Amino acid sequence: MTSPIKVANCSGFYGDRLSALKEQLEGGDVDVITGDYLAELTMLILGMDTLRDADLGYARTFLKQLEGTLGLAIDKGVKIVTNAGGLNPAGLATQVQKLAAELGVDAKVAHVEGDDLRAANLFEGALTANAYLGAFGIASALTRGADIVVTGRVTDASVVVGPAIAHHGWTPESYDALAGAVVAGHVIECGTQATGGNFSGFTDLFRAGAPMTKPLGFPIAEIAADGSSIITKHDGTGGAVTVDTVTAQLLYEIQTTRYLNPDVTTHLDSIRLRDAGPDRVEISGVTGSAPPEQLKVAVNTLGGYRNQVEFVLTGLDIDAKAEWLRSQLDPQLTAADVTWTQTPARGGDSDTEEGASVILRCIGKDPEAGPLGKPFTGPAVELALASYPGFTMTTPPQKPSPFGIYRPEYVDRSAVEHTVVHHDGTREVIADPTTFAGPADLDPELGKRPSPYPAPADTITRRMPLGSFVHARSGDKGGDANLGLWVKNDGSPKYEARVQWLAKIVKDRKVRELVPEAKDLDVDVYVLPNLGAVNIVIHGLLGDGVAASTRFDPQAKGLGEWVRSRIVHIQEDLL
């Protein structure tokens, strides 16, 4: 049996800490370093790049990361796998080869392509259309001797699963092992979100003495031959790896209890976590089954243009000021869609001017840029001396900017040719699986919270914040918002009772009560007992998705923290 492979992460998004690749190389022994750069919004940004220059379309920051680290990686025998290729993996691979030549480093560079479906014209008006590829192309490139593998739109977990396949020799039917690696990849794909970043229990980490003021360490997955793993980080780095920080990332941007990947269907309700020592969490018990027959495609289209102006309203008569301004401005705006939002007024006698102020925001959207230029900002500026007392705008007038609309689509695998261009220039087409998920694994009802939920009746309750012992992590999936809630692992003897209470209280009707914006939306609630968690999908909360959304929090990043602050009735014996 092979020994575990140590796979580190050095990027969770396009714009993450540039020094992370060097930190992972110098911080201790690892076998592979991976980087994830491709959020749905990033694909739109890269698509806009290609409109300006067809030779672009990749994450250019990856080259900056390599400048001071490529030689060290080759010397240490550390492989690098990244999806930074975006819309142009061949172009990025060429640039990496040029950089290696300039540095005098002998680096074997391969790339994976075939995900880009723009030329197939399958989706009308698509600026980008990329199928999510699996990990076997990456594995083949590594097996054939590549030092660096650059990909386009593979799944976020694939950059981790590929090295594990190559190391352990898994086959396409090694479903449980593949599923375990997918879970490990999902945990470390977003960088320091697994080590205390964006974590609702950060104050617990401070109280426990974790080095939270140091730069948070990027995560590492030690993946065993059976697919189980240990999540950890280099000694001496900031942050912490705990059962709760790992749970936070496990619940990030998932939907049902089945996590569909191109190589395997991962059963999220099979995951078991265990504290395995300081900054070490074991993931075990993960099971998987055959992958879905179709591949998901991320499609971005140009939705038009948008612009916004923000006004500061201070002191008394806030609502009257807002009403007057809107009555003056609305008749002059010609944009196809105009949305107004206003932050709530604070208490009366504030000690600071900012505390006595609210923000009134006007957002305009239109298929054309014209109505959002001077016709949009000019009327607002002209009211500076002719409207409410204390008229103030937060910024000078801005130019309109284009926005995109993301939507998921699905294609048969026959529409995609998953191809590896090996470091020696030879091309290999990766064969499709021959066995696929059945209806049971694709049933969206699987794992949904039963109603009524089997639990004893409430006893005496107190009105307390939901976050009294519940953590949260939230995010976006196109126009849908994902919200994971779980009971903190603090060693309390009340843990099991708290888990039962959480699953009982969080039903679709309660979610609409906690999030009034969702009162007319479809809400799904899934139960993950092994994680002490429920996962919530609020369909349509983000409109047409992050780039098009006019919501205050267009990516739902703060949704979980808002919900934790909401007051609910909690059984007194659970507190």
Side-chain angles (χ1 to χ4, degrees):
M1 181 176 290
T2 51
S3 59
I5 180 173
K6 298 179 72 171
V7 184
N9 170 277
C10 73
S11 175
F13 69 102
Y14 189 10
D16 212 339
R17 197 161 83 221
L18 285 175
S19 61
L21 178 53
K22 184 177 182 181
E23 292 167 17
Q24 292 289 53
L25 280 169
E26 295 181 343
D29 292 333
V30 296
D31 300 306
V32 182
I33 297 178
T34 63
D36 173 28
Y37 296 78
L38 301 185
E40 292 158 358
L41 178 61
T42 309
M43 299 303 289
L44 174 64
I45 293 170
L46 296 179
M48 300 296 291
D49 282 350
T50 62
L51 293 180
R52 294 189 294 270
D53 185 345
D55 291 333
L56 295 178
Y58 52 81
R60 285 170 280 177
T61 53
F62 175 64
L63 291 171
K64 292 182 180 179
Q65 287 182 295
L66 279 186
E67 286 176 0
T69 59
L70 181 55
L72 178 60
I74 298 300
D75 289 344
K76 296 186 72 170
V78 175
K79 308 290 187 179
I80 298 174
V81 180
T82 177
N83 62 15
L87 297 175
N88 189 5
L92 179 56
T94 298
Q95 293 302 316
V96 173
Q97 290 167 333
K98 287 181 179 178
L99 177 61
E102 292 170 4
L103 297 174
V105 176
D106 180 18
K108 298 179 176 64
V109 184
H111 72 272
V112 177
E113 59 187 29
D115 60 295
D116 193 342
L117 301 180
R118 287 176 294 180
N121 294 317
L122 298 174
F123 310 102
E124 184 178 355
L127 173 64
T128 70
N130 295 80
Y132 287 82
L133 301 182
F136 279 89
I138 295 169
S140 180
L142 293 170
T143 302
R144 290 272 293 271
D147 299 309
I148 299 175
V149 183
V150 172
T151 78
R153 179 69 279 189
V154 298
T155 70
D156 297 344
S158 289
V159 295
V160 174
V161 179
I165 293 171
H167 181 76
H168 293 301
W170 297 333
T171 70
E173 290 73 39
S174 303
Y175 296 137
D176 290 350
L178 290 169
V182 164
V183 171
H186 179 56
V187 170
I188 73 170
E189 74 185 52
C190 285
T192 54
Q193 280 198 166
T195 61
N198 198 14
F199 173 49
S200 59
F202 74 100
T203 56
D204 295 333
L205 301 184
F206 272 94
R207 282 193 290 268
M212 301 303 294
T213 57
K214 297 174 66 173
L216 300 189
F218 278 69
I220 299 166
E222 301 172 357
I223 305 172
D226 64 355
S228 63
S229 63
I230 295 287
I231 306 299
T232 185
K233 65 183 184 69
H234 284 317
D235 291 341
T237 58
V241 178
T242 71
V243 169
D244 282 328
T245 66
V246 171
T247 302
Q249 184 55 28
L250 280 174
L251 293 175
Y252 184 56
E253 295 181 348
I254 60 171
Q255 294 187 311
T256 75
T257 58
R258 293 294 182 264
Y259 194 42
L260 305 180
N261 267 251
D263 301 316
V264 65
T265 296
T266 301
H267 304 170
L268 297 177
D269 49 2
S270 66
I271 299 170
R272 294 190 178 277
L273 303 181
R274 181 181 70 86
D275 186 338
D279 292 321
R280 294 179 67 82
V281 171
E282 179 188 63
I283 302 175
S284 64
V286 184
T287 60
S289 52
E293 190 166 5
Q294 289 190 311
L295 294 177
K296 183 179 177 181
V297 182
V299 177
N300 281 294
T301 57
L302 290 177
Y305 294 82
R306 64 183 291 163
N307 204 349
Q308 73 178 45
V309 287
E310 290 184 344
F311 306 92
V312 181
L313 313 177
T314 304
L316 303 176
D317 306 318
I318 292 291
D319 290 340
K321 290 170 181 174
E323 183 178 355
W324 184 22
L325 177 66
R326 291 186 59 171
S327 71
Q328 291 176 297
L329 195 54
D330 270 334
Q332 301 188 67
L333 301 180
T334 60
D337 180 66
V338 175
T339 301
W340 291 87
T341 64
Q342 181 178 325
T343 59
R346 306 184 195 179
D349 186 17
S350 174
D351 290 335
T352 65
E353 183 176 337
E354 184 176 1
S357 302
V358 304
I359 299 295
L360 177 64
R361 181 181 296 109
C362 179
I363 304 171
K365 293 165 63 177
D366 197 275
E368 303 295 330
L372 294 168
K374 286 286 188 182
F376 183 76
T377 59
V381 173
E382 290 167 3
L383 290 173
L385 305 181
S387 189
Y388 66 89
F391 182 104
T392 308
M393 296 176 67
T394 58
T395 64
Q398 309 292 314
K399 292 182 179 180
S401 58
F403 71 88
I405 296 175
Y406 162 83
R407 72 177 189 271
E409 295 281 0
Y410 297 87
V411 296
D412 292 335
R413 290 178 184 256
S414 59
V416 179
E417 192 169 82
H418 183 176
T419 304
V420 184
V421 181
H422 290 286
H423 66 88
D424 59 4
T426 59
R427 300 176 67 86
E428 178 190 2
V429 176
I430 301 301
D432 289 328
T434 56
T435 303
F436 300 104
D441 269 337
L442 301 178
D443 183 359
E445 299 298 309
L446 192 65
K448 271 194 177 178
R449 176 193 176 278
S451 183
Y453 192 79
D458 287 350
T459 56
I460 298 173
T461 64
R462 292 170 57 187
R463 286 175 51 79
M464 299 284 288
L466 178 63
S468 296
F469 52 76
V470 173
H471 285 312
R473 172 66 65 79
S474 57
D476 62 300
K477 274 295 180 185
D480 299 341
N482 163 256
L483 169 62
L485 302 172
W486 74 100
V487 173
K488 66 169 62 177
N489 291 271
D490 59 0
S492 170
K494 304 174 182 179
Y495 176 81
E496 295 295 341
R498 288 173 171 178
V499 169
Q500 187 178 52
W501 172 86
L502 178 65
K504 176 187 176 184
I505 190 175
V506 180
K507 48 189 171 185
D508 54 357
R509 188 175 64 192
K510 188 65 177 180
V511 173
R512 294 187 186 96
E513 178 185 319
L514 296 172
V515 184
E517 297 166 82
K519 65 182 177 66
D520 298 320
L521 301 177
D522 291 332
V523 176
D524 293 326
V525 181
Y526 298 91
V527 183
L528 295 164
N530 287 0
L531 300 178
V534 294
N535 190 63
I536 302 160
V537 181
I538 306 176
H539 296 276
L541 184 69
L542 309 181
D544 289 324
V546 52
S549 178
T550 57
R551 190 176 181 273
F552 168 70
D553 176 20
Q555 290 183 282
K557 298 295 187 185
L559 176 65
E561 290 305 289
W562 176 34
V563 170
R564 288 183 70 239
S565 73
R566 300 285 276 162
I567 301 299
V568 297
H569 289 273
I570 301 178
Q571 289 179 211
E572 194 168 65
D573 58 356
L574 298 181
L575 292 167

